[in-house]
């Protein structure tokens, strides 16, 4: 059972994260662990949240790495609201390698 499941699901894990942030620094060591578990869960379940790094599945947007500005009504807004995606199958979370390279890497 993974950490998200142990905490009772994604929504409860988010509430645990909020609690940890409010009760710092006693629980500072837990923040990176929970952040990584939440990101892994979002990647697995195609969930996008503010500040997530994303890329388009194809090179439609020239392979640029973008940050989610906000998510509203099943629409993902990127780059401070300058771009919008309504078809979430067109985007995915950027891999750690893509984040480091600051661009979408070629898919083989």
């Amino acid at each position: 059972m993974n950490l998200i499941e142990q905490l009772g699901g994604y929504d409860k894990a988010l509430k645990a994260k909020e609690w940890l942030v409010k009760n710092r620094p006693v629980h500072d060591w837990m923040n990176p662990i929970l952040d990584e578990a939440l990101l892994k869960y979002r990647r697995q379940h195609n969930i996008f949240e503010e500040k997530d790094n994303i890329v388009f599945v194809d090179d439609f947007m020239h392979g640029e790495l973008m940050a989610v500005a906000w998510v509203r009504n099943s629409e993902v807004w990127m780059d401070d609201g300058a771009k919008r995606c309504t078809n979430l199958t067109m985007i995915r979370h950027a891999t750690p390698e893509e984040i480091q390279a600051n661009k979408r890497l070629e898919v083989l």
Side-chain angles (χ1 to χ4, degrees):
M1 179 180 291
N2 67 34
L3 179 59
I4 302 301
E5 292 168 346
Q6 290 175 355
L7 291 170
Y10 188 75
D11 290 334
K12 288 186 179 179
L14 284 177
K15 289 184 191 304
K17 171 67 179 167
E18 290 172 12
W19 183 87
L20 286 171
V21 169
K22 289 179 185 175
N23 292 287
R24 291 172 51 193
V26 176
H27 303 286
D28 251 359
W29 63 271
M30 185 62 175
N31 286 330
I33 296 168
L34 187 51
D35 285 342
E36 184 62 32
L38 288 167
L39 177 58
K40 182 178 179 181
Y41 187 90
R42 287 195 305 273
R43 283 179 172 158
Q44 290 172 343
H45 295 90
N46 215 30
I47 298 170
F48 302 98
E49 289 192 0
E50 186 176 321
K51 298 181 183 174
D52 282 349
N53 291 298
I54 63 167
V55 293
F56 275 80
V57 173
D58 58 22
D59 61 357
F60 175 72
M61 296 297 288
H62 309 291
E64 62 185 302
L65 181 76
M66 293 169 277
V68 173
W70 62 83
V71 180
R72 300 276 190 286
N73 301 324
S74 298
E75 296 179 339
V76 174
W77 292 79
M78 301 149 286
D79 293 343
D80 296 324
K83 297 177 182 119
R84 171 181 71 140
C85 181
T86 58
N87 182 352
L88 301 186
T89 63
M90 293 176 62
I91 59 174
R92 64 171 172 77
H93 284 270
T95 64
E97 295 81 14
E98 289 170 326
I99 293 168
Q100 185 175 357
N102 200 32
K103 65 178 183 175
R104 179 182 171 271
L105 299 176
E106 293 302 316
V107 179
L108 300 175

